[in-house]
Amino acid sequence: DTEVTQTPKHLVMGMTNKKSLKCEQHMGHRAMYWYKQKAKKPPELMFVYSYEKLSINESVPSRFSPECPNSSLLNLHLHALQPEDSALYLCASSQVVRDRGSSEQFFGPGTRLTVL
Amino acid sequence: DAKTTQPNSMESNEEEPVHLPCNHSTISGTDYIHWYRQLPSQGPEYVIHGLTSNVNNRMASLAIAEDRKSSTLILHRATLRDAAVYYCILGGVPRLTFGEGTQLTVNP
């Protein structure tokens, strides 16, 4: 199984709502990632989890709150978002590598988020 | 992080080879060169990566210049399914910094 699944596929929320994005993989990967992709732009890294611990936060606003409850699941909790947060949110996973080595990242199809 | 430069767009005909260039003159000695592609309405997909030597896999070949300041992704026979944005990325996992990429159009 080389698939990363993300739910929901689409999400529309108001600025006062609280919602969560979910990501799951069963490849035994111990590194998981959240990316944000605006229309016609490349993905931008938001968070990295390594062995279920947050290892990288790319200065993301606190209205985005990641959570890694176990080695297969990754959540992104959303609260008080702004319309400019509307984007495609991508989850990815990979093996953990040492130093600046390399390992293939497997991406999910993303959640298309619209903030009204 | 080192920066990559790619053409905004390229066109190819079906069943012809495609050479997608990437310049990375500020690459460091430990930076891997990665290529990912993103088909419409999908997440990025790994294509190939290398450090110093040319690499081949079932999807493509990666030719790396001797000074490592440039590289070329080679699709040997383009198909309509290869139409995508191709990203050349330097560095290593976990931090992949995507550049703007090249939009590849494949004509029937």
Side-chain angles (χ1 to χ4, degrees):
Chain A
D1 181 3
T2 59
E3 191 180 18
V4 175
T5 58
Q6 291 188 243
T7 55
K9 284 188 167 44
H10 301 274
L11 179 62
V12 179
M13 61 185 291
M15 288 189 284
T16 58
N17 291 156
K18 285 185 183 181
K19 296 286 185 184
S20 297
L21 309 184
K22 296 185 185 303
C23 173
E24 190 167 4
Q25 57 88 16
H26 295 287
M27 293 177 276
H29 291 163
R30 301 303 295 277
M32 296 187 76
Y33 312 80
W34 281 114
Y35 288 83
K36 174 181 178 178
Q37 185 173 26
K38 300 283 278 182
K40 299 196 183 302
K41 290 293 186 183
E44 295 178 351
L45 183 65
M46 300 174 71
F47 302 105
V48 180
Y49 273 82
S50 179
Y51 296 107
E52 295 85 70
K53 291 192 190 320
L54 185 64
S55 59
I56 296 176
N57 176 343
E58 295 285 33
S59 303
V60 178
S62 60
R63 57 186 184 268
F64 295 92
S65 175
E67 178 197 21
C68 191
N70 62 53
S71 59
S72 300
L73 294 174
L74 185 67
N75 298 321
L76 186 62
H77 303 297
L78 313 172
H79 174 54
L81 294 194
Q82 304 297 310
E84 59 264 29
D85 296 322
S86 298
L88 181 69
Y89 288 84
L90 293 159
C91 174
S93 71
S94 75
Q95 296 177 352
V96 175
V97 295
R98 295 189 181 279
D99 301 322
R100 287 174 64 81
S102 182
S103 176
E104 177 181 351
Q105 285 194 18
F106 292 79
F107 284 81
T111 293
R112 178 78 58 189
L113 174 68
T114 302
V115 182
L116 301 176
Chain B
D1 286 336
K3 184 176 163 56
T4 61
T5 303
Q6 299 177 252
N8 288 335
S9 61
M10 291 184 65
E11 271 192 56
S12 173
N13 295 321
E14 204 174 5
E15 299 194 3
E16 290 184 355
V18 181
H19 290 234
L20 296 163
C22 181
N23 288 321
H24 31 77
S25 58
T26 59
I27 190 171
S28 77
T30 56
D31 280 337
Y32 280 81
I33 300 161
H34 305 257
W35 285 83
Y36 281 73
R37 71 180 185 181
Q38 189 170 20
L39 280 64
S41 302
Q42 295 188 27
E45 173 187 34
Y46 169 85
V47 178
I48 200 165
H49 77 276
L51 186 60
T52 56
S53 305
N54 294 347
V55 185
N56 300 298
N57 66 22
R58 64 174 179 82
M59 287 182 71
S61 296
L62 176 59
I64 301 173
E66 198 167 330
D67 62 7
R68 299 208 330 125
K69 293 186 176 181
S70 66
S71 60
T72 302
L73 178 70
I74 302 164
L75 306 179
H76 295 286
R77 290 182 69 210
T79 69
L80 297 178
R81 293 183 67 248
D82 291 322
V85 178
Y86 285 78
Y87 295 104
C88 170
I89 303 163
L90 300 185
V93 169
R95 189 175 267 109
L96 293 181
T97 304
F98 286 74
E100 295 296 320
T102 296
Q103 173 68 62
L104 175 65
T105 300
V106 180
N107 300 314

